[in-house]
């Protein structure tokens, strides 16, 4: 797929964002609250500029203003983001043994995807040891109709099975008929596993299973999916079916481990997309 990692250089820094970041860091230095004048002096900017930045941060609850002292402190939105970051780390750590075991079992790349709005994002992955393999870097977002993961999240998502619009076409094997796609989602919901037979990437097959927060109820929504994805020349449809059981077991075990955790939020950084890759030894 096209698109490479985004590299940020200091010369391309956005001044307003730099000042906002400096403001948050100044408030987080352990001194508690700070006045508008103090913050403007620390950042060496005009008070009017500092006031505009603080007003914007306050609108998004990144800072809060004490109405009695008129001093500023860090807001609740930052605490929520901090908890989300910890959740992602915990979820990645919990998933890692399953990803490693599934990679060893299949010889192919294994991934953990999290729901991300209409689509999904890769939180963690373990790459195949083969030179020709599917590369799925953490941080990459997939489109709403992309392969087995999308089938899982739609099948175990709000109102997904009732979807009637035409799915996107990525390869000649993509399911385009809405009625057929709906039947596929019903099958996924029944079997607890979804297959992708070169429907998203030509020459690539995959199998995915839903991850829940605890034991799922009848109308539970999957927070993500565990997947095995590999080169079609090695990963036959029969091999996918053999791997479906162990993958489903791993997803259920991960779901049980997440029963008491808070729901994670996917990372927002864009990376390089899943692709087939041939590497030669140096």
């Amino acid at each position: 797929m096209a698109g490479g990692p985004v590299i940020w250089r200091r010369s391309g820094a956005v001044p307003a964002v730099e000042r906002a970041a400096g403001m948050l860091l100044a408030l987080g230095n352990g001194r508690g609250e700070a006045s508008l004048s103090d913050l403007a002096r620390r950042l060496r900017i005009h008070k009017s500029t500092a006031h505009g930045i603080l007003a914007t941060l306050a609108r998004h609850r990144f800072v809060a203003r004490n109405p009695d002292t008129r001093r500023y402190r860090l807001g609740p939105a930052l605490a929520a983001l901090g908890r989300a970051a910890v959740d992602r780390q915990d979820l990645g750590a919990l998933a890692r043994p399953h990803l490693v075991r599934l990679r060893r079992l299949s010889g192919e790349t294994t991934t953990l995807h999290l729901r991300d709005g209409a689509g999904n994002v890769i939180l963690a992955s373990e790459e195949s040891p083969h030179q020709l393999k599917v590369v799925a870097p953490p941080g990459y977002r997939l489109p709403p109709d992309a392969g087995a993961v999308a089938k899982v999240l739609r099948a175990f998502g709000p109102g997904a099975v009732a979807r009637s619009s035409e799915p996107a076409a990525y390869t000649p094997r993509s399911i385009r008929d809405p009625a057929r796609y709906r039947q596929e989602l019903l099958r996924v919901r029944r079997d607890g596993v979804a297959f992708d037979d070169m429907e998203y990437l030509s020459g690539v097959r995959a199998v995915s299973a839903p991850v829940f927060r605890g034991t799922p109820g009848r109308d539970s929504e999957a927070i993500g999916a565990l997947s095995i994805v590999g080169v079609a020349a090695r990963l036959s449809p029969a091999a996918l079916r053999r791997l479906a059981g162990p993958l489903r077991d791993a997803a259920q075990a991960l779901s049980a481990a997440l029963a008491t955790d808070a729901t994670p939020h996917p990372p927002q950084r864009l990376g390089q997309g899943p692709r087939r890759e041939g590497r030669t030894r140096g």
Side-chain angles (χ1 to χ4, degrees):
M1 292 181 63
V6 177
I7 299 176
W8 294 98
R9 302 184 185 278
R10 187 171 180 79
S11 60
V14 180
V17 178
E18 288 272 9
R19 290 168 181 168
M23 195 81 69
L24 294 174
L25 291 171
L27 287 170
N29 65 2
R31 298 182 185 178
E33 297 182 346
S35 69
L36 171 62
S37 298
D38 288 340
L39 293 169
R41 184 171 57 254
R42 291 183 208 173
L43 271 66
R44 299 180 181 178
I45 58 178
H46 292 294
K47 288 177 64 176
S48 59
T49 301
H51 181 269
I53 294 172
L54 286 167
T56 302
L57 292 173
R59 189 176 305 122
H60 295 280
R61 303 176 70 220
F62 290 124
V63 303
R65 183 173 179 266
N66 187 322
D68 297 324
T69 65
R70 297 184 180 182
R71 295 169 72 85
Y72 293 86
R73 62 180 182 272
L74 295 179
L78 285 177
L81 289 176
R83 287 193 297 270
V86 172
D87 285 339
R88 290 196 297 271
Q89 293 172 357
D90 289 347
L91 179 51
L94 287 171
R96 189 69 59 189
H98 299 291
L99 294 173
V100 171
R101 185 175 62 82
L102 291 169
R103 181 190 60 182
R104 187 181 305 119
L105 179 65
S106 66
E108 304 297 340
T109 296
T110 56
T111 60
L112 170 65
H113 298 249
L114 291 185
R115 191 183 294 277
D116 180 29
N120 62 86
V121 64
I122 299 173
L123 177 66
S125 64
E126 289 290 330
E127 290 189 3
S128 167
H130 296 288
Q131 290 184 347
L132 180 63
K133 60 188 174 184
V134 175
V135 175
Y140 178 73
R141 294 195 189 107
L142 272 68
D145 296 310
V149 174
K151 292 178 184 178
V152 162
L153 296 182
R154 288 194 179 281
F156 295 95
V161 176
R163 170 189 172 89
S164 59
S165 60
E166 183 177 289
Y170 298 99
T171 76
R173 301 177 69 99
S174 298
I175 300 175
R176 298 294 307 280
D177 178 63
R180 183 183 166 201
Y181 193 77
R182 182 175 182 275
Q183 289 301 314
E184 179 73 0
L185 295 183
L186 289 171
R187 186 201 62 75
V188 172
R189 193 171 180 86
R190 182 190 69 230
D191 298 343
V193 66
F195 298 99
D196 172 4
D197 189 6
M198 297 186 281
E199 298 163 34
Y200 176 47
L201 294 173
S202 295
V204 171
R205 291 191 175 101
V207 57
S208 299
V211 174
F212 300 91
R213 188 159 297 287
T215 302
R218 180 176 178 180
D219 298 319
S220 295
E221 181 177 327
I223 64 168
L226 278 180
S227 299
I228 299 171
V229 55
V231 177
R234 286 193 308 266
L235 196 58
S236 67
L240 282 182
R241 289 192 294 272
R242 287 195 299 271
L243 292 168
L247 176 67
R248 192 164 39 216
D249 292 343
Q252 291 173 355
L254 179 57
S255 298
L258 294 173
T260 59
D261 291 341
T263 302
H265 299 280
Q268 298 299 305
R269 181 185 173 194
L270 287 172
Q272 191 171 3
R275 64 191 186 280
R276 288 178 56 181
E277 181 173 279
R279 291 182 178 172
T280 56
R281 299 183 183 277

